[in-house]
Amino acid sequence: MDTSFRQELKAKAHHLKPVVLLGSKGLTPAVVEETNLALQIHELIKVKINGAEKADRQLISAELCLQLQAELVQLIGNTAILYRKNPD
């Protein structure tokens, strides 16, 4: 993902509300599936990661991207911005 495209995605994501909330249970299969559905519908989403330290949030978002073949656009505080292009 090149820098200008990443900047474009950040700008588009700015007004979005988080569509997936991660709680104290962390990255469960249900959360992964919910995130997958949200990416299929929207391509660009925000995921709110509650109750985790910064290093853990980075690991969780990286793992989520790995499992869903998505890209991490940005991680700000408790919010990760994920992008995955729809095949169609």
Side-chain angles (χ1 to χ4, degrees):
M1 181 183 310
D2 67 5
T3 311
S4 61
F5 187 56
R6 186 179 298 268
Q7 293 293 12
E8 206 176 293
L9 290 175
K10 284 182 192 177
K12 280 184 184 170
H14 183 72
H15 71 281
L16 297 178
K17 298 223 180 316
V19 290
V20 179
L21 300 172
L22 256 100
S24 55
K25 290 194 171 84
L27 198 55
T28 61
V31 168
V32 173
E33 186 52 38
E34 188 67 30
T35 307
N36 187 39
L37 286 172
L39 280 167
Q40 284 173 358
I41 296 166
H42 303 292
E43 282 192 349
L44 183 68
I45 63 167
K46 282 186 177 176
V47 178
K48 186 106 170 163
I49 305 169
N50 292 321
E53 296 298 314
K54 184 175 184 183
D56 294 335
R57 290 194 301 268
Q58 289 170 330
L59 285 171
I60 289 168
S61 50
E63 181 59 32
L64 200 52
C65 287
L66 189 69
Q67 287 188 36
L68 299 173
Q69 287 84 50
E71 296 206 47
L72 180 64
V73 177
Q74 193 174 29
L75 180 62
I76 309 175
N78 293 346
T79 307
I81 302 170
L82 305 184
Y83 172 76
R84 184 178 70 195
K85 180 141 182 59
N86 283 340
D88 46 304

